[in-house]
Amino acid sequence: QVQLVESGGGLVQAGGSLRLSCTASGRTFSSNTMGWFRQAPGKEREFVATISSSASGGNTAYADSVKGRFTISRDNAKNTVYLQMKSLKPEDAAVYYCAAKSSSRSWYSQIYDYWGQGTQVTVSS
């Protein structure tokens, strides 16, 4: 079982930056592919970024809408995954969720087994 706790959300002006953190419980964090998703009011939850396990090389992937502005990274010693967000736009405002795949799932699986409670990001124009 993995428990995820997000932090770092808040209010920022358009063009500004924020760094979200997600700390995971459990002894297998380094083996888990981690991801960030977001959900804006009235919209479906959407994929933002993902990072593979360290054993798989820490590969990353991003949604086109955030590519070049957001960076996902992980610190296995701290059981933490980060989402550095730069050049924020009003359309980036959403609740951001951290998620983890079971260590048995492949990079290509779209199923995430564990979810955090979310952290609100608000971007003022």
Side-chain angles (χ1 to χ4, degrees):
Q1 192 74 7
V2 176
Q3 292 184 324
L4 305 172
V5 179
E6 303 97 333
S7 62
L11 172 64
V12 63
Q13 287 189 330
S17 299
L18 274 177
R19 189 178 78 159
L20 305 183
S21 300
C22 171
T23 301
S25 65
R27 295 175 292 177
T28 63
F29 176 78
S30 64
S31 301
N32 298 108
T33 292
M34 303 296 296
W36 286 97
F37 292 76
R38 67 187 182 186
Q39 186 168 20
K43 296 187 177 181
E44 292 187 353
R45 185 169 59 194
E46 64 175 358
F47 165 79
V48 175
T50 185
I51 185 166
S52 72
S53 67
S54 299
S56 298
N59 298 320
T60 59
Y62 298 90
D64 287 344
S65 59
V66 306
K67 210 171 286 184
R69 300 188 297 122
F70 290 11
T71 302
I72 188 171
S73 62
R74 65 191 302 156
D75 184 338
N76 292 329
K78 296 182 178 180
N79 275 19
T80 299
V81 62
Y82 303 98
L83 185 68
Q84 178 68 53
M85 305 185 293
K86 298 181 179 179
S87 302
L88 283 160
K89 305 175 182 180
E91 52 263 42
D92 293 318
V95 177
Y96 282 71
Y97 296 92
C98 174
K101 291 183 187 178
S102 167
S103 57
S104 61
R105 295 202 189 277
S106 77
W107 169 251
Y108 300 101
S109 171
Q110 297 186 26
I111 299 173
Y112 285 77
D113 301 280
Y114 309 102
W115 293 84
Q117 293 299 307
T119 185
Q120 177 72 50
V121 172
T122 303
V123 184
S124 63
S125 56

